[in-house]
Amino acid sequence: MKSLFGKLLFVLCMAIPFFSSAQNFKEKIYQKRDIVELESGEENEHIPLEIFAMKAPDSTRFYLSVGPLGVGDNVMQIHFDPLFELFLEIGETLSQTEETLYKIQDLYNQAEGTSIQLNGCLAVGYPNKEIEPVTITRKNFMVTKYLEFSVVRDGYIRATSVPKSDFNSLMLTYKLNRKRTLKEFKQ
């Protein structure tokens, strides 16, 4: 019994510094505020699309998440990594965010092969500081227009695609929530 009590007391003593610093740790974590969230893809493939803001004590940044990326080349992508998501930086203000979103949406109406580059990162859960260029390319598959979001790493292409109909649904939902979003971010 004394042994069990001693072990319990030891664990509690070791946990005190963690719990006493938890308040300071919580203040350093950025807050993620969802603006729009929906799922894209076919029956078996559910790709999360999301527009959100990360609020830090001194600034706010807006991001577009296009979900996990596959690994492969220009012809074939194998999707096996459900943890890492591609986050695109789309602005520091709502006006910059809207301008970038409309620029991406307008790419669907451009000629096949047209591409633009934005900054983004491939990370687990939340965007991080490891920013790299993300290429967004307009492509066709039969009658479907889609955008391919890709990052080149170690000679391989990490990519995912978003059909025009799914991106239009994301934009429609964003427009419907715009008034609430403007209030929340006071811009």
Side-chain angles (χ1 to χ4, degrees):
M1 191 67 166
K2 286 183 182 182
S3 165
L4 180 63
F5 180 73
K7 289 178 183 176
L8 185 60
L9 187 61
F10 176 75
V11 169
L12 287 174
C13 288
M14 295 302 288
I16 288 173
F18 173 75
F19 289 115
S20 66
S21 67
Q23 188 66 27
N24 292 337
F25 179 71
K26 187 177 178 184
E27 291 172 3
K28 293 178 184 175
I29 296 177
Y30 299 130
Q31 291 183 331
K32 180 180 175 185
R33 302 267 174 109
D34 289 334
I35 297 171
V36 178
E37 188 175 11
L38 58 95
E39 287 190 2
S40 171
E42 302 296 322
E43 290 177 21
N44 299 332
E45 181 184 27
H46 297 287
I47 300 168
L49 288 177
E50 184 177 19
I51 300 171
F52 64 93
M54 293 291 288
K55 289 188 105 175
D58 57 339
S59 68
T60 301
R61 285 196 175 272
F62 294 88
Y63 292 91
L64 169 65
S65 170
V66 291
L69 302 181
V71 176
D73 56 19
N74 284 328
V75 177
M76 189 160 108
Q77 291 284 315
I78 299 171
H79 291 270
F80 66 89
D81 181 6
L83 296 177
F84 282 82
E85 289 182 58
L86 181 61
F87 300 102
L88 296 165
E89 291 183 341
I90 55 174
E92 293 181 7
T93 65
L94 277 174
S95 58
Q96 288 176 348
T97 299
E98 287 182 12
E99 184 179 315
T100 304
L101 288 170
Y102 286 124
K103 183 178 174 182
I104 293 170
Q105 188 178 31
D106 184 53
L107 193 54
Y108 284 103
N109 298 324
Q110 303 300 318
E112 185 176 5
T114 305
S115 65
I116 60 172
Q117 280 196 337
L118 294 176
N119 288 330
C121 66
L122 189 57
V124 177
Y126 297 97
N128 59 30
K129 304 265 188 241
E130 297 174 21
I131 303 300
E132 58 189 307
V134 176
T135 303
I136 306 169
T137 307
R138 162 62 168 81
K139 296 202 172 189
N140 280 343
F141 179 72
M142 292 190 196
V143 295
T144 305
K145 294 179 182 180
Y146 67 93
L147 295 181
E148 180 182 80
F149 296 82
S150 62
V151 175
V152 177
R153 288 223 174 140
D154 301 324
Y156 290 101
I157 297 173
R158 306 257 349 236
T160 191
S161 59
V162 178
K164 182 178 181 178
S165 60
D166 292 345
F167 198 84
N168 285 344
S169 295
L170 181 79
M171 290 298 290
L172 178 63
T173 308
Y174 175 78
K175 288 174 190 175
L176 293 173
N177 291 331
R178 188 175 187 281
K179 212 177 235 186
R180 178 189 59 84
T181 306
L182 284 171
K183 257 186 210 178
E184 187 174 338
F185 292 101
K186 297 175 186 165
Q187 294 180 0

